[in-house]
Amino acid sequence: MKIPSTMTAVVLTGHGGFEKLELRHDVPVPTPGVGEVLIKVAACGVNNTDINTRIGWYDDSVEGDTTSGGESGFDSVEDDSVGGWGNTGIQFPRIQGADLVGRVVKTGKGVGDDWLGQRIITDNWLRNWSDPMDRAQAGYLGSECDGGYAQYVALPITNVGKINSDWTDEELATVSCSSCTAEGMLERADVTSADTVLITGASGGVGSALIQLAKRRGATVIALTTAAKAEAVKAIGADAVIRRGIDKWKDVIRATTGTDVVTVTADVVGGPVFDDLLSVLARGGRYVTSGAIGGKKVTLDVSHLYLFDWKLIGSTVNELHIFPSLVRYVENNEIKPLLAKTYPLADIEQAQTDFLKKEHIGKLVIVPPQ
Amino acid sequence: MKIPSTMTAVVLTGHGGFEKLELRHDVPVPTPGVGEVLIKVAACGVNNTDINTRIGWYDDSVEGDTTSGGESGFDSVEDDSVGGWGNTGIQFPRIQGADLVGRVVKTGKGVGDDWLGQRIITDNWLRNWSDPMDRAQAGYLGSECDGGYAQYVALPITNVGKINSDWTDEELATVSCSSCTAEGMLERADVTSADTVLITGASGGVGSALIQLAKRRGATVIALTTAAKAEAVKAIGADAVIRRGIDKWKDVIRATTGTDVVTVTADVVGGPVFDDLLSVLARGGRYVTSGAIGGKKVTLDVSHLYLFDWKLIGSTVNELHIFPSLVRYVENNEIKPLLAKTYPLADIEQAQTDFLKKEHIGKLVIVPPQ
């Protein structure tokens, strides 16, 4: 296979609005280093983390929600090196995109030829392999190294997983980031068939994955979404839906569980719903979060935390077994893809604009020029 | 043994200040019911929960810290039935006192004579034994049933544990409430010898027990206390002490661990120290709490909770194995008693006043007339 010397890619030039995303056609195709493979990218999912990184949301100086992520000018981020994972800052220019699917077209030193032609998806956590669960040293694909908003990407084989699936490339590009995040949350909260799980952002990437993966564990699922999306969210597998602003939460919970409470809350919203979520959490219950798109700062009553024997659990850097588990679930069709729409790479601004509108169900996917 | 028909006891007549504590000499000695034993009380520890219950602090309408617990007039508590554990309210009059030590002097129906004369300490959680970990139905000795600020108390044998120890009665009265609370915290936070544990309120009952019990697990302990108590807290077993207002936290942590962070924080203070505690908590670290004597409401950054993979763990109703473990630690002298001072029952106001001043190390103990 002939590999060109330059490629088309979207390059993030700094923290800010859409103007920081530049479509370039002269980006050098990377050379796979020792232990790496070169991947021809077939599709790459759109995720909130791309927007968070671009607007510098991961820095403490940025308050508020992420819904304004299309606007330019985040003046509060003064230092371009902030906003990365772990203890290192992000470096520009950077090619974003974590959820990539593709085929191996070239191998670096130390990688066997059996990798050539393999269809792969990515494990997005960049780790120090001498201590892989050292979270301070963890980075993320598309943040601390270049990702999938490009025709090619070079990655360590520790970050790619061979996959044998009847899903299309675009469908496979819906799972890695969102579903690994969701499965990591359920694992850290130790969700079992004995649990009733209340899920926020249920129509989104992580939320819809939470529904499927909690059902896969045999749990009862109550999803929080808008009236417009209620039927679609039920179709994903939720046992019951709370329509925001319409249903009384306790009515739905009581009709579903026979009690006024749930045993687990899986949240990606934070901010304005935090209080309501805790108000229906059982004694001994677990609240697990992997996002705060509604806002970072909340008020917590420590006397409730201890008197109700709650656990509030953050979940970001996954244990090593989460990614291979997800590959297995996909290969066995234990979950299904939720592909809402695809966009050519040149339309990334439109894709992110639609993503922020949150009118879709499931995932949006970018397709680079083939 | 001759058992009188009336006894001396301190009766709590309602929520409020010290005026709600009445010393009476005409309280009927209780009759042990089915499955119960009558205990002649030898000593009973003073605990924060006695004060919390009296002032109605467990009700959400009461804000702020508990240091004003000696004052009368908590007007915000309008409903006398609030402030109990579980879903039931407290009922007055009530004899408080959880940490009691004594000897069985009479048995109820269904209890073998081998109990007579046994020296016992109490497991303070009142449970529904058809579902003992149903936290909503859990009550606490001295809150949902009468406790040890009296000459006699009748308790189910499920709440008493025989103990064979060379400790004095007053020394034994230092362990049940505080040490079971502390061990429950360490268990729920899964503390091991790999951890460095930062402990607040280190001179108090739970704090000093946390030091001993974390050391028993092989953990490294850093204690937060005042300069005046630093040496005494070190003598309990802390590897290092942060003197409040004097030492820079990170200096002490770095000198002890070689890093800027601890892996576990065990807190009973909440309120004003919450932010500082989280600022030195490692990625993947656990914050565990069983109290909020410094204040209930704190601001939490949900993005920190998830991006740092923290677990914030509340700990109140213990698993069943915690109390028998504590009995074993005492019998094997794996921990030592920290008895600061004893008071006759008639001096309960002085005992609680001293307790709230927090100038002592370890525990204060009440002794009823023998």
Side-chain angles (χ1 to χ4, degrees):
Chain A
M1 168 166 198
K2 175 145 176 57
I3 299 163
S5 59
T6 60
M7 64 178 183
T8 298
V10 169
V11 174
L12 181 68
T13 59
H15 290 299
F18 289 131
E19 80 284 356
K20 297 293 188 183
L21 294 172
E22 287 185 14
L23 182 70
R24 294 185 189 166
H25 303 287
D26 59 349
V27 178
V29 171
T31 303
V34 177
E36 292 187 339
V37 290
L38 183 69
I39 297 152
K40 186 170 193 304
V41 180
C44 184
V46 176
N47 288 289
N48 213 66
T49 190
D50 303 329
I51 295 165
N52 286 346
T53 298
R54 171 164 57 75
I55 68 176
W57 186 87
Y58 292 121
D59 188 66
D60 283 343
S61 66
V62 179
E63 301 272 347
D65 63 33
T66 63
T67 56
S68 56
E71 293 168 18
S72 64
F74 285 78
D75 297 336
S76 61
V77 185
E78 290 171 3
D79 179 358
D80 263 3
S81 71
V82 303
W85 294 93
N87 288 341
T88 60
I90 186 171
Q91 296 188 320
F92 301 106
R94 174 62 71 218
I95 299 170
Q96 296 186 281
D99 248 349
L100 73 95
V101 177
R103 280 165 191 79
V104 175
V105 292
K106 194 175 176 182
T107 56
K109 216 169 178 176
V111 180
D113 280 349
D114 57 313
W115 277 91
L116 283 173
Q118 290 285 351
R119 193 183 193 201
I120 63 92
I121 65 174
T122 50
D123 181 356
N124 304 321
W125 286 109
L126 311 172
R127 304 178 192 268
N128 171 354
W129 283 94
S130 66
D131 186 3
M133 284 311 296
D134 180 351
R135 295 179 161 97
Q137 294 192 64
Y140 206 70
L141 181 51
S143 175
E144 278 67 44
C145 78
D146 285 340
Y149 293 150
Q151 290 182 289
Y152 294 90
V153 61
L155 289 175
I157 55 169
T158 46
N159 284 95
V160 296
K162 300 171 186 172
I163 192 156
N164 179 16
S165 168
D166 53 10
W167 295 16
T168 66
D169 290 332
E170 292 80 0
E171 287 173 342
L172 280 180
T174 62
V175 294
S176 174
C177 179
S178 297
S179 297
C180 285
T181 298
E183 179 72 1
M185 291 168 75
L186 298 173
E187 185 82 357
R188 266 175 77 79
D190 196 20
V191 171
T192 73
S193 59
D195 286 306
T196 298
V197 186
L198 176 59
I199 294 170
T200 66
S203 64
V206 177
S208 58
L210 282 167
I211 295 174
Q212 294 200 59
L213 293 165
K215 289 308 299 177
R216 190 197 150 274
R217 288 170 181 247
T220 301
V221 167
I222 301 175
L224 186 64
T225 190
T226 60
K229 293 176 180 170
E231 285 310 309
V233 163
K234 269 201 169 167
I236 299 170
D239 297 285
V241 169
I242 298 173
R243 294 168 299 176
R244 281 210 314 262
I246 295 176
D247 298 316
K248 285 189 182 161
W249 292 30
K250 293 218 170 170
D251 290 348
V252 176
I253 293 170
R254 177 155 285 282
T256 311
T257 70
T259 74
D260 290 332
V261 289
V262 298
T263 57
V264 175
T265 295
D267 182 31
V268 293
V269 176
V273 296
F274 186 77
D275 274 356
D276 289 334
L277 293 173
L278 292 191
S279 74
V280 295
L281 187 61
R283 286 169 188 268
R286 296 91 79 202
Y287 163 94
V288 60
T289 172
S290 71
I293 58 172
K296 295 177 179 181
K297 298 286 179 68
V298 298
T299 298
L300 172 68
D301 187 323
V302 177
S303 75
H304 290 178
L305 173 60
Y306 88 83
L307 291 171
F308 297 156
D309 286 293
W310 285 338
K311 288 185 180 175
L312 310 187
I313 302 168
S315 185
T316 291
V317 181
N318 280 330
E319 299 284 334
L320 299 180
H321 67 283
I322 297 292
F323 175 72
S325 294
L326 247 295
V327 169
R328 197 177 72 239
Y329 304 161
V330 170
E331 291 185 335
N332 296 344
N333 283 304
E334 295 179 49
I335 57 174
K336 61 187 177 187
L338 291 169
L339 176 62
K341 197 174 174 187
T342 62
Y343 301 79
L345 180 59
D347 291 350
I348 190 167
E349 179 174 335
Q350 187 60 52
Q352 292 193 353
T353 301
D354 291 350
F355 180 89
L356 289 165
K357 276 189 198 154
K358 306 213 172 300
E359 291 171 357
H360 62 289
I361 308 284
K363 298 287 294 181
L364 307 180
V365 168
I366 299 272
V367 178
Q370 295 300 302
Chain B
M1 166 161 200
K2 172 139 179 62
I3 298 164
S5 60
T6 59
M7 65 179 181
T8 299
V10 170
V11 174
L12 181 68
T13 59
H15 291 299
F18 289 132
E19 80 284 355
K20 299 291 187 184
L21 293 172
E22 287 184 14
L23 182 71
R24 294 184 189 166
H25 303 285
D26 59 350
V27 178
V29 171
T31 303
V34 177
E36 292 187 340
V37 291
L38 183 69
I39 297 152
K40 185 168 194 303
V41 180
C44 185
V46 176
N47 288 289
N48 212 66
T49 189
D50 304 328
I51 295 165
N52 286 346
T53 297
R54 172 165 56 75
I55 68 176
W57 186 86
Y58 293 121
D59 188 64
D60 283 343
S61 66
V62 179
E63 302 272 347
D65 63 35
T66 63
T67 56
S68 55
E71 293 168 18
S72 65
F74 286 77
D75 297 337
S76 61
V77 184
E78 290 169 2
D79 180 358
D80 262 2
S81 71
V82 301
W85 294 94
N87 289 340
T88 61
I90 186 170
Q91 295 188 322
F92 301 106
R94 174 62 71 219
I95 299 171
Q96 297 186 280
D99 249 350
L100 73 95
V101 178
R103 279 166 192 76
V104 175
V105 293
K106 194 176 176 183
T107 56
K109 215 169 178 177
V111 180
D113 281 349
D114 57 316
W115 277 90
L116 283 173
Q118 290 286 350
R119 192 184 194 202
I120 63 92
I121 65 173
T122 50
D123 181 358
N124 304 321
W125 286 107
L126 311 172
R127 304 176 191 268
N128 172 354
W129 283 94
S130 66
D131 186 3
M133 284 311 295
D134 180 351
R135 295 180 161 97
Q137 294 192 64
Y140 206 71
L141 180 51
S143 174
E144 279 65 44
C145 79
D146 285 341
Y149 293 150
Q151 291 182 290
Y152 294 90
V153 61
L155 289 175
I157 54 168
T158 46
N159 285 94
V160 296
K162 300 172 187 172
I163 192 156
N164 178 17
S165 168
D166 52 11
W167 296 16
T168 66
D169 289 332
E170 293 80 359
E171 286 173 340
L172 280 180
T174 62
V175 294
S176 175
C177 180
S178 297
S179 297
C180 285
T181 298
E183 179 71 0
M185 292 169 75
L186 299 174
E187 186 82 356
R188 267 176 75 78
D190 196 21
V191 171
T192 72
S193 59
D195 286 307
T196 299
V197 185
L198 176 60
I199 294 169
T200 67
S203 63
V206 177
S208 58
L210 281 168
I211 295 173
Q212 293 201 59
L213 292 165
K215 289 308 300 177
R216 190 198 150 274
R217 288 171 181 247
T220 300
V221 167
I222 300 175
L224 186 63
T225 191
T226 59
K229 294 177 181 171
E231 285 310 310
V233 164
K234 268 202 171 170
I236 298 169
D239 297 285
V241 169
I242 298 173
R243 295 168 297 174
R244 281 208 316 260
I246 295 177
D247 297 316
K248 286 188 181 160
W249 293 30
K250 293 218 172 173
D251 290 348
V252 176
I253 293 169
R254 177 155 286 282
T256 310
T257 71
T259 74
D260 290 332
V261 289
V262 299
T263 58
V264 175
T265 295
D267 183 32
V268 293
V269 176
V273 296
F274 186 77
D275 274 356
D276 288 335
L277 293 173
L278 292 192
S279 75
V280 295
L281 187 60
R283 288 169 186 267
R286 296 91 80 201
Y287 164 94
V288 60
T289 171
S290 71
I293 58 172
K296 294 177 177 180
K297 299 286 179 71
V298 297
T299 298
L300 173 67
D301 187 323
V302 177
S303 75
H304 290 178
L305 173 60
Y306 87 84
L307 291 172
F308 297 156
D309 287 292
W310 286 337
K311 288 185 180 174
L312 310 187
I313 302 168
S315 185
T316 291
V317 181
N318 279 331
E319 300 285 335
L320 301 179
H321 67 282
I322 297 292
F323 175 72
S325 294
L326 247 295
V327 170
R328 197 176 73 239
Y329 304 160
V330 170
E331 291 184 335
N332 295 343
N333 282 303
E334 295 179 49
I335 57 174
K336 60 187 178 187
L338 290 169
L339 176 62
K341 196 173 174 186
T342 63
Y343 301 79
L345 181 59
D347 291 351
I348 190 167
E349 180 173 334
Q350 187 60 51
Q352 290 193 355
T353 302
D354 290 350
F355 181 89
L356 288 166
K357 277 189 198 154
K358 304 211 174 302
E359 290 171 357
H360 61 288
I361 307 286
K363 300 287 293 181
L364 307 180
V365 169
I366 300 270
V367 178
Q370 295 300 303

